[in-house]
Amino acid sequence: MSHASLSPAIGHPAPTTQTTRAAPPADLTLEERLALVNAEMTARLDEAAVAYEVNTAHIPTEPVDLADVVTGPVDTGPAPLPQLYPTPVAALLQRAHHRLLTGGWCSGALVDEDGARCMLGAIRAEAGGDSGLEASAAAVLLDAIRRKFGDDVDSVPSFNDAHGTGRVPLRMVDQAAHLADARGL
């Protein structure tokens, strides 16, 4: 008898056990394997949650007052307009577009009682008295309008007043700024 077969505690032969092999596992479908993995992961996550609670139970915590955490936006006024266009006419049209977005759009008047402006009123306000710059911007705007809506449009004010909302007029002022920039105006 070899020393390897002796029980180390007493020096007697180690009992031999006969192991029986379990039948090979039946092939599982993908859904069955996923269900088993899901069950195992759920058990692990539950154990981890309990361990976290046990490990952090000694840490004192005070309730958080959400009024101290959640705040509304700070009123900083309107965002400054980024300078996207280096050319004067394109920059003027961009400023007019921004004025229409922030100050409001109207039809039937250059400026209404609430301070909203039509397309031409916004251009005039942003031109700062430079009638040549104002005329160039209005010409580019009329050209952009005619490219989109045809040559039947006779003026910027008539186009502006033909709309019930400012959605299309504002879009046209923005497109005119792009057109003026492309032309280097």
Side-chain angles (χ1 to χ4, degrees):
M1 187 177 294
S2 72
H3 287 89
S5 64
L6 294 177
S7 176
I10 341 173
H12 294 283
T16 59
T17 57
Q18 191 169 7
T19 58
T20 58
R21 292 191 177 183
D27 290 335
L28 299 176
T29 65
L30 177 62
E31 289 80 17
E32 292 169 336
R33 287 185 287 168
L34 289 174
L36 287 174
V37 168
N38 185 26
E40 182 180 348
M41 291 306 298
T42 301
R44 286 184 182 182
L45 288 172
D46 289 342
E47 287 176 20
V50 169
Y52 175 80
E53 291 297 325
V54 168
N55 291 336
T56 59
H58 68 282
I59 301 173
T61 58
E62 294 182 23
V64 176
D65 184 11
L66 292 181
D68 294 337
V69 177
V70 179
T71 61
V74 177
D75 186 18
T76 60
L81 181 65
Q83 291 294 332
L84 297 178
Y85 300 114
T87 57
V89 174
L92 170 62
L93 287 165
Q94 180 189 26
R95 290 191 311 271
H97 179 256
H98 187 260
R99 179 177 287 258
L100 291 171
L101 282 174
T102 58
W105 171 87
C106 72
S107 66
L110 286 175
V111 183
D112 71 2
E113 62 277 356
D114 296 329
R117 298 179 178 271
C118 72
M119 299 163 78
L120 192 57
I123 290 172
R124 185 165 292 164
E126 292 298 326
D130 187 341
S131 59
L133 186 61
E134 179 184 331
S136 296
V140 172
L141 178 56
L142 184 58
D143 189 30
I145 291 169
R146 286 180 175 164
R147 285 177 171 217
K148 181 79 173 175
F149 295 96
D151 290 332
D152 296 338
V153 179
D154 60 336
S155 69
V156 171
S158 67
F159 177 81
N160 183 82
D161 295 346
H163 290 85
T165 67
R167 188 176 62 84
V168 173
L170 264 74
R171 187 175 70 230
M172 292 312 303
V173 173
D174 185 50
Q175 288 179 6
H178 291 293
L179 181 62
D181 183 54
R183 291 180 177 174
L185 299 175

